Amino acid sequence: MIMNKFKIICAVSYAQNNEFWIKDEYEKLGYDAVVISTKLANRNAAKSLKGRILNNFISVCFGIKVYLKYKDEDVIIFWGFFEGLIFSILDLIYRKTKKSSKIVALHMLIINPNLIKRFIMKFFCYLSNLNPRLMNAVNSEYEKKLYSSDYCIDIYKTIVLPDCANTMVYHKYKKGDGRVFSGGDNSRDWATFFEAAQILKDVKFVGIARKINFDFSQTVPDNCEMYFDTDVDFFYNTLNSCSVVALPLNVNVASGLVVICDCASYFKPIITTETSCTINY
């Protein structure tokens, strides 16, 4: 295979052993690709407010680490949008990145920010606009216009790139036990899920959520089991044992896409909310 001349750096903080599927895909296309990660990254830390603050600090450190080590490379792709902003701002300040370099910050997503977070993100986005080498990626045209309006992101430096299925690995079909499953992290519309359970009293429902995102003032119907902060294996084993997946969402930006794709890989029928992003699938 003829290799392309330039190198692609894939900055994925939580990648295990510096391996990630996107590296394999670029190599298939003939590019020299490298994955960089950090042992400090912990996706499960988001279960608590303290963990989220720690993760943000780690993201800042990771952006600095990538800048110091790879600022001279041709293309730097950040799996995390915030880490890409940090790199971009450092590049703007120190101007050590070569002029031909491209910086791509994937998965721009800002959900229900409080006033402080909104101010911080506006400030960071303003600085990033000044860097001609940075491109941002969102999941839909709606998000592109939303973030341009709310956070002054340069609309001409933002591309629409629908979330992919992680080069989906299909699993052997397993007949479900009749239950309806729902689960995941942000923006799940549990009120609608519970309303459906109350209407379909003869059907069993099961949900998996993070405690930090769950409204415990809600009444969970008797025919619905709820689990919180489980490990990944329990999540997907439960999903696979059910017959149908119901994934109501309460935002019109990217949410639920990983679970939707994973459900498809288990050959499970999916009922979900039509949003600006799920409509792409």
Side-chain angles (χ1 to χ4, degrees):
M1 177 183 290
I2 299 175
M3 297 296 290
N4 286 286
K5 292 182 179 180
F6 60 82
K7 181 185 288 187
I8 297 176
I9 305 302
C10 308
V12 188
S13 61
Y14 59 85
Q16 297 295 315
N17 301 316
N18 286 340
E19 293 293 331
F20 197 63
W21 64 268
I22 197 171
K23 172 179 179 288
D24 300 331
E25 295 301 310
Y26 276 123
E27 288 178 344
K28 289 177 185 177
L29 296 173
Y31 293 101
D32 180 11
V34 174
V35 172
I36 180 172
S37 60
T38 173
K39 294 180 180 179
L40 297 176
N42 182 4
R43 301 181 83 182
N44 291 324
K47 294 176 183 178
S48 66
L49 179 59
K50 181 180 178 181
R52 289 184 174 183
I53 294 173
L54 178 61
N55 267 358
N56 285 333
F57 176 73
I58 291 172
S59 291
V60 172
C61 294
F62 184 62
I64 295 172
K65 172 185 175 181
V66 178
Y67 179 80
L68 293 175
K69 191 171 183 179
Y70 293 105
K71 59 181 176 294
D72 295 325
E73 298 298 345
D74 302 289
V75 179
I76 305 98
I77 299 176
F78 284 88
W79 200 251
F81 167 72
F82 183 61
E83 295 151 359
L85 283 186
I86 298 299
F87 184 103
S88 174
I89 292 170
L90 289 172
D91 174 50
L92 194 65
I93 295 171
Y94 295 105
R95 299 187 181 278
K96 297 292 185 181
T97 307
K98 59 185 181 182
K99 292 182 179 180
S100 60
S101 295
K102 301 296 182 184
I103 309 163
V104 183
L106 301 176
H107 302 120
M108 182 178 182
L109 182 61
I110 308 170
I111 298 178
N112 300 327
N114 57 34
L115 189 61
I116 296 176
K117 183 178 179 181
R118 192 179 182 87
F119 174 79
I120 292 173
M121 289 307 298
K122 275 193 172 185
F123 176 70
F124 281 170
C125 289
Y126 168 76
L127 290 179
S128 71
N129 278 341
L130 301 177
N131 192 328
R133 288 180 284 280
L134 176 69
M135 291 295 293
N136 306 299
V138 295
N139 277 275
S140 68
E141 286 289 346
Y142 169 82
E143 289 180 321
K144 182 176 179 178
K145 294 175 183 177
L146 174 69
Y147 296 139
S148 173
S149 171
D150 288 6
Y151 294 93
C152 303
I153 286 284
D154 188 343
I155 198 167
Y156 298 106
K157 293 176 59 181
T158 305
I159 57 174
V160 177
L161 184 66
D163 212 345
C164 64
N166 290 14
T167 59
M168 188 184 295
V169 175
Y170 291 96
H171 304 271
K172 185 177 179 180
Y173 171 72
K174 175 183 177 181
K175 185 178 180 180
D177 56 16
R179 292 182 298 170
V180 177
F181 173 86
S182 190
D185 195 352
N186 290 316
S187 310
R188 301 303 189 260
D189 184 359
W190 291 108
T192 296
F193 186 70
F194 295 152
E195 184 179 351
Q198 290 172 337
I199 295 171
L200 303 172
K201 297 184 183 298
D202 295 333
V203 179
K204 292 185 178 180
F205 288 68
V206 58
I208 300 177
R210 290 198 191 276
K211 286 182 178 178
I212 193 171
N213 295 325
F214 189 79
D215 179 7
F216 282 92
S217 67
Q218 300 175 97
T219 300
V220 179
D222 293 337
N223 59 327
C224 182
E225 293 179 281
M226 286 298 299
Y227 299 92
F228 298 95
D229 300 339
T230 68
D231 59 37
V232 173
D233 288 339
F234 182 87
F235 183 95
Y236 285 108
N237 287 335
T238 305
L239 182 158
N240 196 28
S241 67
C242 294
S243 297
V244 177
V245 175
L247 205 67
L249 306 168
N250 56 18
V251 294
N252 195 32
V253 294
S255 183
L257 301 178
V258 172
V259 174
I260 288 171
C261 291
D262 287 341
C263 289
S265 76
Y266 284 97
F267 300 95
K268 299 296 179 181
I270 308 162
I271 305 168
T272 190
T273 308
E274 183 178 295
T275 70
S276 67
C277 297
T278 59
I279 197 172
N280 293 324
Y281 299 81

